[in-house]
Amino acid sequence: MDVVVSPNPSGIELRELLAELGPQTATLIGDADATRRVLGAEFHDALDELRDEPDRLLLAPSASEISPQSLTDLATMAKRSHYSAIAIKCHDGEAPLLAEVAETCSIPFIRVSEHVSWRVFDALVARLLGERGHSDDTHFHRGAEPLFALANELAGFFGGSVAFEDLGRRVLAYSSVPDQLIDSLRTRGILNRLVPHSPFNDDQYRTVLRSEAPIKYPRLADEEPRVAFAIRAGALPLGTVWAIDASGNPDLTPEQDRRIRAAAEVAAGHMLDDIRVRSAGQMPREDRLRTLLTGQGVVGTELAELGISEERGAALLVFEAADGDHATTLAQLRLTVQRHLSLYREEAVTVAQSGRVYALFSGASAEFAESLAEPLLPILDRLIMPGTVVASPGAAHYAAGIAPLRELADRLLSTVKEHAVPQRILSVKKLRPLLIFERVSRLLAEQPELRSDAVTEMNESDPAVAETLLTWCGSFGNVAQAARSLGIHENTVRYRLRCAEERYGVDLSDPETLLVIWLQLRSQWFAERRASDRSAPSPSPRG
């Protein structure tokens, strides 16, 4: 469970919280008591036991799918554990039931708008609670360009240039204080509004985004000392703030720590407001894509609603980072992919789920999708970390065809991970043999009547004969080539082939029989290799 705790012990009244969020984000269901205090928020997992968290807002993403009785039980437990309210998403027709449960169990229900994701809602609540926990001196000049004013305020304290950046390392705002300390790297970043490449960048950004505390970097080459901190709203990463430090102190001082944390809190609020405005139109698009990916509840108009022509087709790309389970990595990956693809396809839409980023856009073939993915890989290596892999399963011309594409992409990624294939852009064309062997292996495992008992016995009793037969088939019946591959004499190959014929009844003159036997032997080796979890392809020649 992710817990967000306000630094202010007095919290905020529920009605004030709702007023700040606005009716487009969340509304109170029924006539429940809205004067309760809210100190923080906590996500509820249906598989976990509800913890005692007094005066917390219980975020229940899965509650909309449970029965009325289970919902009543959850409300009863939340009331007993002294939660302030329960946040839930629902349809219009379900609101009366929630109002009845709220009245019966004496705990308010908050209806979260469908276009607001749970992560964004959590971040909005965290930001509002966090703002109440800071003194007024942290709210610097909330005007047309608040981040620039905030950067100037922070630069006045540190004595050096300050920059606020998003997850794509774009410079959103920077300080312009007279006589502030600045170096060439910061100057180039301000001029281009994008952080220039540096040999220290990649490692520093990864460290900062995953750190819970500000980090101070000493002078490196021609880069002045810097203090950096991640900008977050709840569990949602938004960017970073960097301040060149002119104090000369080798270590981070308590006051520097306090100042940069406070600035990051305020910056998170402004950046989150911008995300909320932009997401109002994007969230329904993401919901459409999620529907297409699951294949459940597809009505057939989803591609048109996304601005994708069925005649032209919809291409899918699926990205998996080397560390995709980390929330920050996944958020960076989705943001970078969305921005890159939008340059070429303005209708492109992306979602992050299950450690992968799924992107859908207009395209008629896997080859076209791969041409967009190829120049993106070096960018991902620099901004996130090396090793992101992309699956390009193809294109579909109707809404119901997207879910099979997703399943195929997932198979491509799983197959490459399982067999350590040294490729980064994956397609059926490149991995067809592995996909076929995997499917045949599973087919023979599920339907044993399709297997030849003689071949199974040969593989168990005479593995050398089975290996020779497999290699000979893979050598297109060339005895000399099979012998070289196995490192044995040609006569040994001939002897083992006679054993296959005489002992196990293999007809070496029938091509269809040989094909079936070769597939069974090859699939058996494939299954054994998967079970042994080898990290590299077998060095033994297998045809």
Side-chain angles (χ1 to χ4, degrees):
M1 293 187 182
D2 297 323
V3 181
V4 181
V5 182
S6 169
N8 184 358
S10 63
I12 181 175
E13 284 193 359
L14 182 58
R15 61 185 177 185
E16 294 180 60
L17 181 64
L18 291 173
E20 292 284 349
L21 290 171
Q24 75 279 7
T25 300
T27 55
L28 187 66
I29 296 178
D31 300 320
D33 179 17
T35 62
R36 301 180 179 213
R37 309 297 294 183
V38 179
L39 299 182
E42 179 173 347
F43 276 105
H44 170 61
D45 189 326
L47 300 179
D48 293 339
E49 183 179 352
L50 194 63
R51 302 191 306 182
D52 288 335
E53 294 290 349
D55 300 323
R56 298 296 191 270
L57 180 62
L58 185 64
L59 310 184
S62 60
S64 59
E65 305 296 330
I66 64 178
S67 66
Q69 182 57 52
S70 298
L71 187 63
T72 301
D73 293 341
L74 175 63
T76 301
M77 290 187 292
K79 171 65 175 178
R80 188 182 304 127
S81 300
H82 306 290
Y83 281 87
S84 303
I86 300 175
I88 190 174
K89 290 187 179 183
C90 68
H91 301 296
D92 292 338
E94 299 169 336
L97 172 63
L98 292 174
E100 182 180 343
V101 173
E103 182 178 356
T104 302
C105 301
S106 299
I107 185 169
F109 273 83
I110 294 174
R111 181 180 180 181
V112 179
S113 175
E114 292 184 3
H115 75 264
V116 178
S117 74
W118 281 107
R119 290 190 70 198
V120 170
F121 181 75
D122 172 35
L124 288 169
V125 172
R127 191 261 291 182
L128 291 173
L129 293 171
E131 284 186 350
R132 288 303 183 95
H134 289 280
S135 58
D136 292 337
D137 65 352
T138 62
H139 295 267
F140 308 111
H141 310 292
R142 286 182 179 267
E145 295 182 312
L147 289 182
F148 283 89
L150 183 59
N152 284 337
E153 187 76 19
L154 200 59
F157 170 74
F158 278 95
S161 177
V162 172
F164 289 95
E165 304 169 9
D166 64 13
L167 292 176
R169 303 184 193 176
R170 294 189 307 169
V171 178
L172 302 178
Y174 53 88
S175 61
S176 55
V177 176
D179 299 324
Q180 65 179 3
L181 179 63
I182 192 169
D183 54 29
S184 60
L185 184 72
R186 175 61 50 78
T187 301
R188 284 183 286 139
I190 291 173
L191 292 175
N192 298 321
R193 298 303 292 268
L194 183 69
V195 177
H197 175 70
S198 164
F200 313 113
N201 273 2
D202 297 345
D203 181 65
Q204 288 182 353
Y205 276 93
R206 282 194 288 268
T207 303
V208 170
L209 284 168
R210 299 179 185 191
S211 174
E212 297 298 326
I215 296 177
K216 185 163 188 176
Y217 290 101
R219 183 182 180 89
L220 296 170
D222 59 347
E223 297 180 20
E224 296 292 343
R226 281 163 163 71
V227 177
F229 190 48
I231 301 174
R232 300 187 185 90
L236 183 69
L238 301 174
T240 53
V241 53
W242 296 76
I244 292 179
D245 182 20
S247 68
N249 296 320
D251 300 316
L252 189 71
T253 67
E255 183 61 15
Q256 288 178 331
D257 184 287
R258 187 189 75 81
R259 289 289 190 114
I260 202 164
R261 284 180 185 270
E265 285 279 359
V266 177
H270 293 294
M271 294 170 69
L272 191 60
D273 284 340
D274 182 57
I275 289 177
R276 177 163 53 169
V277 171
R278 287 186 284 108
S279 295
Q282 183 67 12
M283 284 302 175
R285 290 172 54 78
E286 293 182 8
D287 290 340
R288 296 295 183 277
L289 178 52
R290 288 191 174 92
T291 297
L292 292 172
L293 292 174
T294 61
Q296 299 177 357
V298 174
V299 297
T301 61
E302 286 82 3
L303 291 181
E305 293 172 12
L306 292 173
I308 299 175
S309 167
E310 290 187 349
E311 290 76 15
R312 187 173 187 178
L316 183 70
L317 286 175
V318 184
F319 297 77
E320 184 173 63
D323 189 20
D325 292 335
H326 197 285
T328 298
T329 300
L330 197 59
Q332 281 185 280
L333 180 60
R334 195 205 68 78
L335 178 66
T336 307
V337 169
Q338 177 68 49
R339 285 180 175 160
H340 174 81
L341 294 179
S342 296
L343 296 175
Y344 304 92
R345 287 288 183 266
E346 61 180 12
E347 77 286 347
V349 57
T350 58
V351 296
Q353 59 185 39
S354 304
R356 292 169 179 168
V357 171
Y358 297 82
L360 191 71
F361 49 90
S362 295
S365 66
E367 288 75 17
F368 170 75
E370 291 170 33
S371 70
L372 296 185
E374 189 171 0
L376 179 56
L377 289 179
I379 299 174
L380 296 176
D381 288 346
R382 184 174 65 86
L383 292 182
I384 303 174
M385 64 172 55
T388 297
V389 179
V390 189
S392 177
H397 293 272
Y398 51 95
I402 303 302
L405 284 182
R406 178 197 61 79
E407 294 174 0
L408 178 55
D410 290 343
R411 282 178 56 204
L412 289 170
L413 290 167
S414 298
T415 299
V416 165
K417 183 182 298 184
E418 193 169 0
H419 298 281
V421 178
Q423 295 182 9
R424 298 189 62 184
I425 299 182
L426 318 175
S427 66
V428 174
K429 182 178 181 180
K430 296 176 181 177
L431 298 180
R432 183 174 285 112
L434 277 179
L435 293 173
I436 291 176
F437 292 140
E438 182 181 68
R439 183 56 59 91
V440 171
S441 176
R442 295 183 187 279
L443 175 65
L444 294 177
E446 294 167 0
Q447 301 184 29
E449 69 275 8
L450 298 179
R451 298 196 301 259
S452 166
D453 294 336
V455 173
T456 300
E457 182 184 356
M458 181 202 310
N459 197 53
E460 294 174 353
S461 303
D462 285 324
V465 173
E467 182 181 30
T468 300
L469 179 58
L470 177 62
T471 305
W472 178 75
C473 289
S475 301
F476 305 102
N478 188 313
V479 172
Q481 182 178 333
R484 286 195 299 272
S485 297
L486 293 170
I488 58 179
H489 196 276
E490 294 180 17
N491 287 338
T492 305
V493 172
R494 295 187 180 94
Y495 168 75
R496 291 177 180 176
L497 291 177
R498 285 197 303 274
C499 289
E501 286 183 303
E502 297 170 1
R503 295 181 190 174
Y504 302 103
V506 176
D507 186 356
L508 299 182
S509 63
D510 182 12
E512 292 183 355
T513 298
L514 285 179
L515 173 63
V516 173
I517 290 174
W518 180 76
L519 277 175
Q520 182 173 336
L521 289 172
R522 187 67 172 80
S523 300
Q524 176 65 32
W525 171 80
F526 188 92
E528 291 173 354
R529 181 179 172 204
R530 184 195 313 128
S532 66
D533 193 25
R534 295 178 183 175
S535 59
S538 172
S540 299
R542 293 291 183 175

